[in-house]
Amino acid sequence: MDEDSRKSSTPAKRFDAASARQPPPESEESIRVRRRVIASFWAIVVFLGLPIWMWTTSIHRARLPLEEMMDWAEGKACKPSFPLQIIVEAPLLPKNDVLRVIQATQHALDDQNDFALHHLRLRIGNRHISSNSSQHQRGTEQSSRVDRSSEDAADSKAKALTITLSPRSGLAAAWAELRTESASLDILYPPNLVPPASSTSFPLATFIAAQLQDLFAEEQALIAHTLTANAASTISHQPPVSLGHSSMTSNTPALGSKDQRHGHARTPSPELAARLASRTTGALKYAPAYHITISLFSPGAWPSSWDIEPAVSEYLVPLLESASVISEFTLDTQTQIHASLSPSVREPQYDTDYGVWTLREEDLSGFINAAEWPLSPSIGAGPTLNFVLYVPDPSTSPLVIKESQANSWLIPQWGGVVILNPPASARSNGTQAAGLSKADIQPALLVFSHQLLSFLGAPQSPPSIPLQLQTLTRVRAVSLLLSASSTMGSLARLTVALPSIAIPETVSTAVGITLEHLGKTCSALKDGRFAAALDNAKIADTAAERGFFEKSMVGQVYFPDEHKVAVYLPLLGPVGVPLVMSALKELRRIWTTRRSRNHKP
């Protein structure tokens, strides 16, 4: 009996031991507390953590007029034109004859002009005589209206050229003379070149039109080259851009394209195109200010002084004042004696045929001794132009370039050099004056003036500095217009391509300033107010560059999303994994409990 009772009690003990190893059932109160704790953590994360994180890491993107910016970049917002006012003065001609000359010349210009954006417009001046008193009385009202319109045009549009017609008996043909110191063209002609009103031919008008075409041919080619180069550059670098519902691709004509800009502009000859491309390459990039350094170097102790201040005031300052409408200029001078040439330059060779000492062209690139000559490229606020006046030793003078027999040359993007040989009397006697006089320096400063115009991008013709500066004003205005418009397109494409980049309000302000002054530039060009157009183009280009190179934007361009993952993952991993796992376990318990209740009989 006892053995049977022990056998019957063994399974009960085993069951009690197994049940003792299981945890006690969880109370309803503890289950609710656990779920509230998990829910509270998730509530803090969702309702407090995420809003704070989104607020502290949100990217401010100011609103930009992307459609308008792309319109400017693609040439849809502006089609610039260049109407040049030509004033015709004829103090010895009746007014009716002057009007006939102007009308016939204008027809000849319009027939010959194949660049529709650049057109010459002739206007009558105030210096003329009446045909007769009765005709003057009958045309008083018309004359007053013409004079008022001419005066208004002179006030609103700067004249590009003044033509003075003067009849001269004894001349076999018409003759023209361009004044180099002013924008004036004097035309002398025999009286028989002004035919009667019934004649169909007008030789004087044909002559005037041909002269004007020759004067402005290089300007037309330069503007056409600028527009064509911009069109090619924009189309080749423009990727597809999608703005809202519209898609703008590189197939859209760019600003300056032939369809929108040139009309029927002729293609420049290969020689002219090569010369324009070479000039564009050698010219300095536009800057609001340039610094000019004129240096005197000599391998010996002479000259110990030079009259540079009065020479600069007389021969160079007038040019700088005239060019100040384009850029500001600052100037300084320096002198260094016992300045040896660069070691890479071979010694000058004596040419017995010409009786001169010569330098080889291949040595000109190393003529400047940058190691010993104090030529700093960073003087001043803007780019520095160095003009070097080198006075060789009397024992190797006169010194010229062997291949060309010239004594001056340009160094692209740097400056110019002029070799000033001592006077022959000084070489023969072996003595020199204490220094260089103003007359001695004059030839060098005149060469420096031409070199400066080359660096600024002025045309070589016509041989009139006022006309060259006028051309440079128009070319700079349109080039800055194209540059600012292209920058607007690049900024718009950058904004669309990088949606995570911040756009501060300063960029929006800069874009607004740019677009405003681009519009003013375009209007001023169409009205013939080229100085005002250049002023507005400067402001537009400066604002565009400032907006595109905003520091906060440039820094974020090089911060991709992979860097953000690398930063956030070590921080969010230790916090997120326990929260996610606890939530999943609790959801599994709830699902298991509900399933067991549904299957319970």
Side-chain angles (χ1 to χ4, degrees), residues 294-557:
I294 301 178
S295 305
L296 172 64
F297 293 102
S298 174
W302 184 88
S304 59
S305 64
W306 58 332
D307 295 334
I308 187 62
E309 292 187 5
V312 165
S313 300
E314 182 173 350
Y315 304 123
L316 190 59
V317 169
L319 174 62
L320 299 181
E321 291 177 348
S322 300
S324 61
V325 66
I326 301 170
S327 299
E328 296 294 332
F329 297 91
T330 57
L331 187 145
D332 66 356
T333 62
Q334 62 178 350
T335 304
Q336 180 172 340
I337 57 178
H338 300 290
S340 60
L341 294 177
S342 175
S344 61
V345 178
R346 287 173 289 186
E347 291 295 329
Q349 302 294 322
Y350 186 73
D351 190 335
T352 57
D353 295 335
Y354 295 96
V356 295
W357 294 84
T358 60
L359 286 172
R360 297 180 180 272
E361 284 189 354
E362 54 264 27
D363 293 333
L364 299 182
S365 59
F367 184 84
I368 301 300
N369 190 352
E372 298 182 11
W373 293 4
L375 296 170
S376 175
S378 60
I379 299 177
T384 298
L385 281 172
N386 292 280
F387 294 110
V388 174
L389 180 61
Y390 182 78
V391 180
D393 190 85
S395 61
T396 58
S397 180
L399 181 64
V400 297
I401 302 172
K402 181 177 181 180
E403 289 77 6
S404 62
Q405 299 296 308
N407 66 334
S408 63
W409 65 92
L410 285 174
I411 302 177
Q413 305 293 324
W414 188 85
V417 179
V418 173
I419 298 176
L420 181 61
N421 294 294
S425 59
R427 295 196 304 270
S428 60
N429 297 332
T431 59
Q432 296 97 358
L436 295 175
S437 65
K438 184 175 69 172
D440 296 332
I441 305 173
Q442 176 187 5
L445 291 183
L446 295 179
V447 174
F448 289 155
S449 299
H450 290 288
Q451 292 177 345
L452 175 61
L453 291 175
S454 299
F455 280 117
L456 294 179
Q460 296 179 352
S461 65
S464 172
I465 291 181
L467 289 180
Q468 292 179 6
L469 293 177
Q470 286 186 24
T471 298
L472 186 58
T473 299
R474 289 185 279 270
V475 172
R476 287 301 191 189
V478 70
S479 63
L480 291 177
L481 172 69
L482 298 175
S483 176
S485 301
S486 177
T487 304
M488 288 292 97
S490 300
L491 181 58
R493 289 188 289 271
L494 178 66
T495 302
V496 175
L498 299 177
S500 61
I501 192 173
I503 302 178
E505 292 296 334
T506 54
V507 175
S508 178
T509 302
V511 169
I513 294 174
T514 301
L515 297 179
E516 177 187 357
H517 286 277
L518 282 177
K520 292 181 179 180
T521 301
C522 187
S523 300
L525 287 176
K526 293 179 179 179
D527 293 340
R529 296 178 289 108
F530 302 113
L534 179 59
D535 292 338
N536 286 284
K538 292 178 184 177
I539 300 175
D541 186 67
T542 302
E545 294 292 325
R546 184 173 63 251
F548 186 80
F549 292 103
E550 172 66 30
K551 294 181 179 179
S552 59
M553 291 181 60
V554 173
Q556 294 185 22
V557 169

Side-chain angles (χ1 to χ4, degrees), residues 153-173:
D155 292 339
S156 60
K157 305 180 181 181
K159 63 180 180 180
L161 181 68
T162 299
I163 299 178
T164 303
L165 301 178
S166 301
R168 291 290 177 87
S169 59
L171 293 178

